[in-house]
Amino acid sequence: MKNNTRPETMKRIDNEEAAKIFIEEQIGELRAQIGSDRVLLALSGGVDSSVVAALLIKAVGDQLIGVHVNHGLMRKGESEQVISVFKDKFKADLIYLDETDRFLDKLKGIEDPEQKRKIIGSEFIEVFAEEARKHEGIKFLGQGTIYPDILESDGIKAHHNVGGLPEDLKFELVEPIRLLYKDEVRVVGKALGLPDAMVSRQPFPGPGLGVRCTGAITRNRLDALREADAILREEFEKAGLSGKVWQYFVVVPDFKTTGITNGKRTYEWPAIIRAVNTKDAMEATIEELPYELLKRLVNRITSEVSGLNRVLYDLTPKPPATIEFE
Ligand code: XMP
């Protein structure tokens, strides 16, 4: 029977040596659990599923079938990073499904945030299930469940994330990091050789940029959002703020304002900058960004991203605002 309670005697994994011991133990346990069967795993690019993938690769090699679904709402360069890390570096059998059109077509004209989430969640499960049915002899499903997910089964992840696989696909779960806290997962990830950008990645919601392109998503506005968000992340990296600020991102709302470029009137979207700190995402405070950084962001976003003519900085903590805009 699987143990879902962290034993009081379990030491914190806060250094490389402790991580290496954990990794060795897990490799043994995974081999014992999985034997010569096959395991399926959805790789989102997030730290939890990446660590599970790396552990599984070390334990059972090509018995792992990793699937990365690009729902078209990933940040710039994110799918490419998942592919290059796992396919090229870990030599894993990674299946890449670019389902951008499928998701964006389903989302066309849908304004309600919860309906958008439902569509993204259920479409994701359908894509994954379709892929799973193509493979014979899969007995296990890998999952990046971590200890806070077990403790807070009514928490944010459970609240937002929808449903499970259909009845015909009942796999036995493999959850090697279920007793770890987030900071421990990062230490293990580093010891497994995952790149820093992946290990120290800020939280990113399952529906991705979908909830930051408010209202009905359009491709143009989504592209503008992706570019502006990439600029923000690049500037945060240069300013030494990435890894320090809990979550920072751009939102492009579904309204336009007037502007002027080279003497010509424009009518385009604003980019909204949000940067917050929190312990558990239930309440959040604003990161007070240096004015020089803000000015650089205004400059770069308005000059480099087509479709954006204004930059706003959201100063609202949670509560009364949520971290995301939808
Ligand atoms: P809010 O906006 O509720 O966000 O203050 C709190 C935290 O939860 C993340 N979030 C989500 N994560 N699926 C997820 O996996 C979702 O639908 C979702 N919505 C919000 C958000 O990014 C923040 O870290």
Side-chain angles (χ1 to χ4, degrees):
M1 216 20 235
K2 226 162 56 174
N3 174 21
N4 275 342
T5 310
R6 186 171 166 126
E8 270 176 32
T9 50
M10 184 168 157
K11 288 213 184 85
R12 282 194 62 72
I13 301 170
D14 53 8
N15 60 68
E16 196 182 341
E17 202 182 324
K20 290 214 158 119
I21 294 169
F22 173 84
I23 292 165
E24 284 314 310
E25 278 170 8
Q26 282 312 312
I27 289 175
E29 282 186 28
L30 287 169
R31 284 185 183 149
Q33 185 186 4
I34 296 163
S36 57
D37 286 301
R38 302 177 90 189
V39 196
L40 188 69
L41 174 76
L43 268 153
S44 64
V47 59
D48 302 338
S49 63
S50 299
V51 166
V52 172
L55 282 170
L56 281 165
I57 291 162
K58 285 205 189 284
V60 298
D62 60 12
Q63 287 161 248
L64 170 72
I65 304 170
V67 181
H68 174 64
V69 179
N70 179 357
H71 51 20
L73 305 163
M74 303 292 286
R75 289 172 294 187
K76 190 173 179 178
E78 211 156 31
S79 285
E80 290 81 352
Q81 188 189 41
V82 178
I83 296 165
S84 75
V85 169
F86 288 100
K87 223 171 186 161
D88 306 340
K89 189 169 169 208
F90 283 86
K91 309 283 174 229
D93 183 9
L94 179 68
I95 296 163
Y96 173 59
L97 304 173
D98 184 352
E99 298 290 350
T100 301
D101 290 341
R102 179 168 169 168
F103 280 82
L104 294 187
D105 287 348
K106 277 262 152 102
L107 287 163
K108 210 174 214 157
I110 308 293
E111 291 177 5
D112 178 67
E114 288 317 306
Q115 211 188 334
K116 284 164 74 176
R117 275 198 176 76
K118 276 204 189 95
I119 291 171
I120 296 164
S122 59
E123 206 59 25
F124 186 91
I125 287 172
E126 232 176 276
V127 169
F128 191 68
E130 279 168 22
E131 184 60 39
R133 290 194 189 99
K134 290 184 191 157
H135 303 270
E136 301 232 319
I138 297 172
K139 191 172 165 198
F140 296 96
L141 180 70
Q143 273 194 345
T145 314
I146 64 171
Y147 205 44
D149 302 334
I150 291 174
L151 294 179
E152 307 156 19
S153 53
D154 56 348
I156 278 165
K157 253 196 200 172
H159 168 71
H160 284 304
N161 296 336
V162 260
L165 286 168
E167 277 303 310
D168 64 311
L169 294 170
K170 280 284 164 260
F171 303 120
E172 206 176 300
L173 291 185
V174 174
E175 299 176 299
I177 57 170
R178 70 188 179 282
L179 297 182
L180 303 192
Y181 287 100
K182 195 77 180 194
D183 55 321
E184 297 179 303
V185 179
R186 296 193 205 278
V187 177
V188 171
K190 207 170 159 59
L192 283 164
L194 293 172
D196 276 349
M198 214 170 221
V199 168
S200 58
R201 201 182 89 138
Q202 54 166 320
F204 188 58
L209 299 182
V211 290
R212 299 175 181 171
C213 188
T214 69
I217 298 167
T218 60
R219 287 180 192 243
N220 288 349
R221 193 155 53 90
L222 185 60
D223 288 345
L225 165 59
R226 187 176 286 114
E227 291 304 318
D229 185 73
I231 291 174
L232 180 88
R233 287 190 289 138
E234 196 186 309
E235 289 298 331
F236 265 56
E237 184 71 47
K238 277 198 242 160
L241 287 171
S242 49
K244 189 180 152 256
V245 179
W246 167 275
Q247 228 172 343
Y248 46 96
F249 53 87
V250 169
V251 172
V252 177
D254 53 346
F255 63 84
K256 291 183 174 181
T257 72
T258 52
I260 187 140
T261 303
N262 300 328
K264 268 205 181 132
R265 204 185 107 100
T266 61
Y267 188 52
E268 296 175 326
W269 303 293
I272 303 171
I273 293 168
R274 187 132 175 86
V276 299
N277 290 306
T278 177
K279 275 202 167 62
D280 55 9
M282 304 308 280
E283 294 188 349
T285 57
I286 297 303
E287 170 77 16
E288 293 181 21
L289 297 176
Y291 200 66
E292 282 308 312
L293 172 62
L294 289 170
K295 280 202 291 192
R296 208 162 35 251
L297 287 168
V298 171
N299 239 318
R300 284 199 60 191
I301 290 172
T302 54
S303 63
E304 293 175 32
V305 186
S306 74
L308 305 180
N309 66 356
R310 196 180 284 271
V311 177
L312 312 175
Y313 178 25
D314 184 358
L315 295 175
T316 324
K318 175 181 180 177
T322 49
I323 294 176
E324 303 291 347
F325 266 46
E326 299 194 319

